[in-house]
Amino acid sequence: MTDAKARQQDTLFVTSLEKGMRILEAFSEDKTELGLGDLVKVTGLEKSAAQRYANTLYELGYLEKNSETRRFSPSVKYLEMAYSYLWADYLAQLAMPRLIDLSRQTSQTINMAEPIGTDIIYVVRMPNHRTNFGASAIGRRVPALVASSGRVILSRQSDQAIRDAVSNWPTRQYTQRTTMDRGAILDNILVAREKGYCTTQGQVLPDEVNVAAPICSIEGIPVGAIHCSLPSIRWTIERAEAEIAPLVVEAAQSIVPSR
Amino acid sequence: MTDAKARQQDTLFVTSLEKGMRILEAFSEDKTELGLGDLVKVTGLEKSAAQRYANTLYELGYLEKNSETRRFSPSVKYLEMAYSYLWADYLAQLAMPRLIDLSRQTSQTINMAEPIGTDIIYVVRMPNHRTNFGASAIGRRVPALVASSGRVILSRQSDQAIRDAVSNWPTRQYTQRTTMDRGAILDNILVAREKGYCTTQGQVLPDEVNVAAPICSIEGIPVGAIHCSLPSIRWTIERAEAEIAPLVVEAAQSIVPSR
DNA sequence: CACCTTGTATTATATTATAATACAGCGTAC
DNA sequence: GTACGCTGTATTATAATATAATACAAGGTG
């Protein structure tokens, strides 16, 4: 029995709600404005279902509607949800003051990421140089194997977990320089384990050098990472290791979530 | 006929989805972890309904469940929604590079806010000094009459609109110094209209001086504001006007959304 | 130990979501 | 200039699905 089938027979699972969430989720980086037909394509719902659910979300204020094009787009309610989340995220609250300090100390772009399945997600972003918009927006997911934050979080896992992840987790080619060679990724992770931080170059964005250090719970379990982005025009990996890495590591180590 | 009644008879309005959204919205600044009973209280749903909808959202990955306390809390999916929103927000994308520059120039906390009904909502936050956590989280709503950003946006509206807002819009006492005198608020807005920026002190947080300037569309309609927060230990309003206001105004004026 | 409050699971019932379909409005092309 | 295809919108009878009640289990507290 498939998941979907199992759910249909579960009286505690409300399929109508699922369909509504499909509409909410239809919008993304490259789908910012969708008409009814687009929603049908993206969600796989029937036309009449898409109509009713989109209309409901519109009436509830989750979707805006361009009165000329009749297309929907996410409303600011999407942002309010982030606010609710952040208050529930103990790590974000604990880390925030240290991240602010680090941002001031380095005058560079500072991020905090948390692991989520095979990805990491950026929870705090403090841009300090102009960059791609997506790189300064909260809530972005990137495969853990690609991001320095993801790799440094993995570096604190068991050998077994690392090898499993490096073999099986997805990657994605963001730039020409994104490493698709899993052997090289493994090496990078193992070096990170030795050094206590991970450095990468041009993995997600071209022309960026990254330094990431893990945030670990009192039991030593990696629960997040701090990550500093540097423009590679002015920074080499060597210079980043010398000048930035110690600060990032220190900041990350000063954050020890106990719950 | 009430709204609720009207909706029930509207076949295009899916009440099940509404109930689900009630659960999603139950979590907030001070309600970060809710058990089933709490959800019933907050949402007004029946116990069995709360059960089914919360369970559905849990299965869909929107809610986490603490396996000891059995309480729900928002998952990181709440954050992903913010990411989708930001890509749909033309103003945020347009403003981001200028905000980064301004943050570097001033080395102070920079925010961008947008009006939403009688509130403003913070869309971009770039903290540069330690502060209250809520003040560095995206998605926060504050009554427009209280926030310097809200007032400066109002200052670009018609006399009629200003007077209407000052008389009728809600306010809230965040600090001991929050101005509850609507006459004083009106004066502050009218001064802002003259000067082109709005200064406030201790309205939302104690010990903060704020300077805000409006972002206007090509037609002159205020669509947002840039706002700089300064610790009042080191900043007076006078110094902020002299050193910070020109930079904030310049940044805001350099952003001219054309759609 | 008794009680109360919490979350969980089940069921028959009818409320509510459904899919089909018809309609209207608009732009395009022939 | 008219016909066509493409949008989004509105209405219905039907049955599928959400429902509320209720019973049960599991902790916690007096």
Side-chain angles (χ1 to χ4, degrees):
Chain A
M1 198 188 297
T2 69
D3 260 28
K5 287 268 168 159
R7 279 175 174 168
Q8 280 181 8
Q9 298 189 353
D10 180 354
T11 60
L12 294 181
F13 189 83
V14 182
T15 56
S16 303
L17 178 50
E18 181 188 27
K19 290 176 198 149
M21 301 316 283
R22 295 253 282 281
I23 298 280
L24 264 196
E25 287 179 11
F27 301 88
S28 60
E29 188 168 322
D30 52 342
K31 309 203 188 283
T32 59
E33 243 201 358
L34 301 173
L36 200 49
D38 304 317
L39 285 171
V40 169
K41 282 193 203 91
V42 175
T43 62
L45 296 174
E46 296 281 338
K47 182 183 173 187
S48 71
Q51 181 192 181
R52 283 178 291 108
Y53 287 102
N55 174 66
T56 304
L57 290 170
Y58 170 68
E59 299 225 356
L60 293 173
Y62 282 88
L63 299 182
E64 309 272 7
K65 192 175 191 173
N66 181 320
S67 51
E68 290 172 40
T69 66
R70 315 260 87 191
R71 293 202 288 194
F72 296 98
S73 50
S75 86
V76 83
K77 278 218 171 196
Y78 277 57
L79 267 194
E80 290 182 60
M81 301 198 50
Y83 188 68
S84 299
Y85 172 78
L86 289 167
W87 279 102
D89 186 339
Y90 171 66
L91 182 57
Q93 287 178 68
L94 192 64
M96 188 63 79
R98 297 290 302 123
L99 295 172
I100 292 170
D101 290 349
L102 183 60
S103 170
R104 287 181 72 96
Q105 276 173 46
T106 59
S107 292
Q108 301 299 334
T109 297
I110 303 296
N111 300 279
M112 188 183 76
E114 297 178 15
I116 163 84
T118 65
D119 292 340
I120 54 108
I121 188 165
Y122 290 104
V123 176
V124 180
R125 316 215 77 163
M126 299 179 175
N128 256 301
H129 62 85
R130 290 187 177 208
T131 180
N132 173 292
F133 181 71
S136 45
I138 224 174
R140 183 183 207 190
R141 283 176 82 139
V142 175
L145 290 184
V146 179
S148 56
S149 286
R151 292 185 187 173
V152 86
I153 289 170
L154 275 167
S155 79
R156 290 303 179 95
Q157 317 258 41
S158 69
D159 280 350
Q160 183 55 44
I162 294 175
R163 279 167 213 285
D164 180 56
V166 170
S167 305
N168 302 316
W169 287 11
T171 61
R172 184 171 150 196
Q173 183 111 31
Y174 284 97
T175 74
Q176 292 190 341
R177 298 191 55 176
T178 304
T179 311
M180 298 303 285
D181 172 3
R182 290 172 185 267
I185 294 174
L186 178 60
D187 291 346
N188 187 238
I189 292 174
L190 295 176
V191 169
R193 171 185 270 181
E194 289 300 313
K195 293 191 171 174
Y197 58 85
C198 177
T199 54
T200 61
Q201 185 159 19
Q203 293 297 297
V204 177
L205 289 173
D207 312 322
E208 285 208 348
V209 169
N210 293 296
V211 182
I215 298 171
C216 295
S217 71
I218 192 110
E219 300 90 1
I221 298 166
V223 295
I226 299 180
H227 142 225
C228 178
S229 270
L230 305 162
S232 62
I233 315 159
R234 272 169 286 142
W235 292 81
T236 61
I237 287 192
E238 292 68 33
R239 186 174 158 219
E241 294 201 38
E243 297 178 26
I244 299 293
L247 298 172
V248 176
V249 169
E250 187 198 353
Q253 285 181 348
S254 76
I255 302 165
V256 185
S258 55
R259 65 170 149 105
Chain B
M1 197 188 300
T2 69
D3 261 27
K5 286 266 168 153
R7 279 176 175 169
Q8 278 179 11
Q9 299 189 354
D10 180 354
T11 59
L12 293 181
F13 188 83
V14 182
T15 56
S16 303
L17 178 51
E18 181 187 28
K19 290 177 198 148
M21 302 315 285
R22 295 254 282 280
I23 298 281
L24 264 194
E25 287 180 11
F27 301 89
S28 61
E29 188 168 323
D30 52 341
K31 310 205 189 279
T32 59
E33 243 201 358
L34 300 172
L36 201 49
D38 303 317
L39 284 171
V40 169
K41 281 193 204 90
V42 175
T43 63
L45 296 175
E46 296 280 339
K47 183 182 173 186
S48 72
Q51 181 192 180
R52 284 178 291 108
Y53 287 102
N55 175 66
T56 304
L57 290 169
Y58 170 67
E59 299 224 358
L60 293 174
Y62 282 88
L63 299 181
E64 310 271 6
K65 193 176 192 173
N66 181 319
S67 51
E68 291 171 39
T69 66
R70 316 260 87 190
R71 293 203 287 194
F72 296 97
S73 51
S75 86
V76 83
K77 278 217 171 197
Y78 277 57
L79 267 193
E80 290 182 59
M81 300 196 51
Y83 188 68
S84 298
Y85 172 78
L86 289 168
W87 278 102
D89 186 339
Y90 171 67
L91 181 56
Q93 286 178 67
L94 192 64
M96 187 64 79
R98 296 292 302 123
L99 296 172
I100 293 170
D101 291 348
L102 183 60
S103 169
R104 288 181 72 96
Q105 277 174 44
T106 58
S107 293
Q108 301 299 333
T109 297
I110 303 297
N111 300 279
M112 188 183 77
E114 297 179 14
I116 163 86
T118 64
D119 293 340
I120 54 107
I121 187 166
Y122 290 104
V123 176
V124 180
R125 315 214 76 162
M126 299 180 175
N128 256 302
H129 61 86
R130 289 187 177 209
T131 180
N132 173 291
F133 180 70
S136 44
I138 223 172
R140 183 182 207 191
R141 282 175 83 137
V142 175
L145 289 184
V146 178
S148 56
S149 285
R151 293 184 187 173
V152 87
I153 288 170
L154 275 168
S155 79
R156 290 304 179 96
Q157 315 259 41
S158 68
D159 280 351
Q160 182 56 43
I162 294 175
R163 279 167 212 286
D164 180 58
V166 170
S167 306
N168 303 316
W169 288 10
T171 61
R172 185 171 150 196
Q173 183 111 31
Y174 284 96
T175 73
Q176 291 190 341
R177 298 191 55 176
T178 303
T179 310
M180 299 304 284
D181 172 3
R182 289 174 186 266
I185 294 174
L186 178 59
D187 290 345
N188 187 237
I189 292 174
L190 294 177
V191 170
R193 170 186 271 182
E194 288 301 312
K195 293 191 171 175
Y197 59 85
C198 176
T199 54
T200 62
Q201 186 158 19
Q203 293 298 297
V204 177
L205 289 173
D207 311 323
E208 286 208 346
V209 169
N210 293 297
V211 182
I215 299 172
C216 296
S217 72
I218 192 109
E219 299 90 1
I221 299 166
V223 295
I226 298 180
H227 142 225
C228 178
S229 269
L230 305 162
S232 61
I233 316 159
R234 270 169 286 142
W235 291 81
T236 61
I237 287 191
E238 291 68 33
R239 185 174 159 219
E241 293 201 37
E243 297 178 26
I244 298 292
L247 298 173
V248 175
V249 169
E250 187 198 353
Q253 285 181 348
S254 76
I255 301 165
V256 184
S258 55
R259 65 167 150 107

